[in-house]
DNA sequence: AAGTGGTCTAGACCACGTA
DNA sequence: ACGTGGTCTAGACCACTTA
């Protein structure tokens, strides 16, 4: 314990060690921030910052007046980065390619309406496209766009410009929801992704809103072997 | 602009609106924190807090001396909660059940060693178990435990006690990694999960460490239809 | 009603990276 | 070298919640 400055990360580490070592077991109450600040010889706000991080990470639970307790059932909280596909491909050293498959205006299936929080059926723009890595199919996306919220999309030449990238640059969202699941490739999907019908594929469904107005809902199906990793 | 107190979340919202409205477009440089603080009539540290959040969320990019810029390619950063399975089942209103399938000590396949960061092959404890919801198979887990890092696991009656819950309570980790992918059910997996061979299933692989010492690596395969959702 | 976490402020200094 | 973000401190007040 040198008497130099301690960052809140150091303080977080100290407290984390108390938990790891069993000095404070799951369910135990930790001292008040102010007391910890005295013990560790730092400002209370530094302890507060450390505690907030431990709380965000699911290690402790904090309540006003109730104090801080070590969580009984730590929740694993994973953070995933979902970059735009072009960047993902290029970061892996691949050559990115994009291909428009279809563009229509139609009433989407119930599941899509539900995902976007729409109650009444209405026509939406549907864009199907394929992302390629080194010329090989990488991700097949089936996108529905609300043309009321994002009318500008209608002026874009989607055979040249990528719908996702256009939206991300011109229609920032305030809220989003992501869903992961596995599905068996049907004949069409298999053909487009150069897979075999029945192959298990990872599907990523993303829906974005500006406040309560849905912008787009897209289901991306990845080619066989695709994995998603949490940040370090 | 009422002259009441503003929280850093309010400030974050104000700056976010600047970006949404196009006042600052992707690639643009934002004013220095200090100037924003003057404009919004708050302390610089409040702006700093807001900016840190916007940076964590992937909206802006900050560099010392370089200033703050709106990101060109916003990264979608999703946070997932992965609770212990008992809690997940009970939160969904189901009756949780647990069943030990097998427990052996053997040398794991290369992939498992690699996931744990082990270079030399060595024997690990392997525990296979089934989690049930209302008596129906829910998740099949195939776990490898490093008995050097977590020797206590050998004293546990794993037919009664859940390996995951024991580890989570007695062996807190300092670091972890999560991986998601899809796989086709093989005959054995299908039988254990009451699925059909070939069904697409979601696999979640989690590895935990204390510092650099691996604790456990577990691959959980969920029954058909399982989905993972991001937090709000 | 009182105690605890949550946040703000103002000022200071540090550390990093760019110009 | 210097400007910008990053963080700490000390003190103050607020807000929630439970004793």
């Amino acid at each position: 314990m040198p008497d130099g400055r301690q960052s809140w990360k150091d303080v977080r580490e100290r407290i984390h060690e108390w938990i790891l070592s069993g000095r404070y077991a799951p369910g135990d109450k930790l001292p008040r921030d102010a007391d910890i600040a005295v013990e560790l010889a730092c400002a209370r706000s530094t302890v507060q910052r450390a505690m907030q991080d431990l709380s965000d990470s699911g290690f402790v639970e904090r309540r006003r007046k109730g104090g801080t307790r070590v969580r009984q059932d730590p929740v694993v909280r994973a953070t995933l980065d979902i970059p735009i596909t072009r960047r993902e491909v290029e970061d892996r050293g691949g050559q990115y390619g994009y291909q428009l498959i279809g563009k229509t205006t139609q009433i989407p299936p119930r599941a899509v309406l539900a995902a976007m929080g729409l109650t009444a059926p209405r026509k939406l723009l549907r864009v199907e496209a394929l992302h390629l890595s080194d010329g090989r199919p990488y991700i097949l996306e089936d996108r529905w766009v609300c043309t009321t919220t994002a009318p500008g999309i209608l002026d874009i030449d989607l055979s040249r410009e990528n719908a996702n990238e256009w939206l991300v640059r011109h229609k920032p969202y305030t809220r989003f929801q992501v869903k992961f699941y596995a599905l068996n490739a049907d004949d069409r999907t298999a053909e487009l992704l150069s897979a075999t019908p029945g192959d298990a594929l990872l599907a990523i469904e993303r829906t974005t809103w500006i406040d309560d107005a849905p912008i787009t809902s897209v289901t991306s199906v990845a080619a066989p072997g695709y994995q998603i990793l949490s940040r370090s």
Side-chain angles (χ1 to χ4, degrees), chain A:
Chain A
M1 285 92 306
D3 36 26
R5 279 283 187 92
Q6 320 186 57
S7 83
W8 65 267
K9 290 184 180 179
D10 294 332
V11 172
R12 193 226 307 138
E13 222 39 56
R14 298 282 297 275
I15 300 171
H16 192 185
E17 276 162 17
W18 292 350
I19 298 172
L20 293 181
S21 71
R23 172 168 167 183
Y24 297 100
D28 284 1
K29 189 168 172 178
L30 289 156
R32 309 160 21 204
D33 289 6
D35 291 341
I36 293 178
V38 171
E39 177 169 351
L40 298 184
C42 66
R44 181 167 81 89
S45 55
T46 306
V47 175
Q48 151 72 20
R49 191 99 174 82
M51 281 297 198
Q52 192 163 341
D53 194 75
L54 287 168
S55 176
D56 283 348
S57 310
F59 288 110
V60 302
E61 223 164 4
R62 281 159 80 72
R63 280 188 197 172
R64 289 169 145 119
K65 167 86 179 176
T68 305
R69 286 178 182 280
V70 180
R71 284 189 76 130
Q72 292 275 3
D73 298 321
V75 175
V76 175
R77 197 155 287 169
T79 305
L80 308 178
D81 279 351
I82 308 177
I84 56 173
T85 309
R86 175 195 299 278
R87 191 163 181 161
E88 185 179 328
V89 167
E90 290 174 350
D91 283 356
R92 295 169 48 136
Q95 175 75 29
Y96 176 74
Y98 168 80
Q99 194 177 312
L100 179 67
I101 293 173
K103 174 184 167 184
T104 60
T105 300
Q106 58 187 100
I107 294 179
R110 285 185 173 283
V112 172
L113 289 170
M116 297 176 91
L118 292 171
T119 46
R122 54 186 287 191
K123 286 191 175 180
L124 299 179
L125 176 68
R126 181 186 193 180
V127 181
E128 286 180 289
L130 192 60
H131 300 270
L132 308 160
S133 175
D134 289 331
R136 288 188 301 276
Y138 188 69
I139 285 180
L140 174 64
E141 75 167 53
D142 183 7
R143 177 184 299 275
W144 297 84
V145 186
C146 181
T147 49
T148 315
T149 316
I153 190 93
L154 294 168
D155 304 328
I156 306 303
D157 177 5
L158 289 169
S159 61
R160 288 183 44 255
E161 205 161 351
N162 182 316
N164 182 32
E165 294 181 20
W166 185 87
L167 285 164
V168 115
R169 297 224 167 90
H170 299 84
K171 278 287 157 188
Y173 52 85
T174 54
R175 191 160 63 84
F176 73 100
Q177 168 87 233
V178 185
K179 190 190 288 186
F180 303 94
Y181 55 94
L183 52 77
N184 289 104
D186 59 23
D187 291 348
R188 181 161 179 270
T189 304
E191 193 186 330
L192 288 166
L193 283 176
S194 302
T196 306
D199 273 357
L201 304 176
L202 187 64
I204 308 168
E205 182 186 305
R206 268 178 297 169
T207 308
T208 57
W209 292 264
I210 288 189
D211 301 323
D212 284 329
I215 305 171
T216 186
S217 181
V218 55
T219 301
S220 299
V221 180
Y226 189 86
Q227 298 185 334
I228 296 182
L229 269 79
S230 65
R231 276 164 48 91
S232 61

